[in-house]
Amino acid sequence: LNKYGCQACHQVNLAGGYLGPALDGLSSRLFSGYVFAYLKNPQRFKPDVLEPNYGLDDSDARALTAYLVSLPPVNSKEEK
């Protein structure tokens, strides 16, 4: 995430930007195959999306996909 500056637009564990969707709990919303393909070419799915196309090679896209789908949902409520 740091290499590509994802948290400039996306939140992880309630930290980061607000432009894109939160990345926590991604696997509960999207299949890993979709995430991989989206990371490779976001404009293929949404032509006017603001997500940059970083030209990821398969290895980087697989690694980033594995990390993203491993993120658990965040609990935004404080536990008592």
Side-chain angles (χ1 to χ4, degrees):
L1 292 178
N2 292 333
K3 180 177 179 180
Y4 298 105
C6 300
Q7 283 187 277
C9 297
H10 299 276
Q11 286 197 357
V12 174
N13 200 22
L14 302 176
Y18 294 95
L19 185 60
L23 300 176
D24 306 285
L26 192 75
S27 65
S28 68
R29 302 187 308 267
L30 302 170
F31 292 106
S32 59
Y34 174 84
V35 174
F36 174 82
Y38 187 86
L39 290 172
K40 294 281 291 176
N41 185 2
Q43 288 71 28
R44 174 180 168 204
F45 298 93
K46 296 180 181 181
D48 53 348
V49 72
L50 297 176
E51 184 79 37
N53 184 338
Y54 289 106
L56 298 174
D57 62 27
D58 286 353
S59 178
D60 283 350
R62 272 193 301 273
L64 192 50
T65 297
Y67 175 72
L68 291 173
V69 300
S70 76
L71 293 171
V74 68
N75 184 359
S76 60
K77 296 179 182 178
E78 291 183 33
E79 294 187 27
K80 297 180 181 181

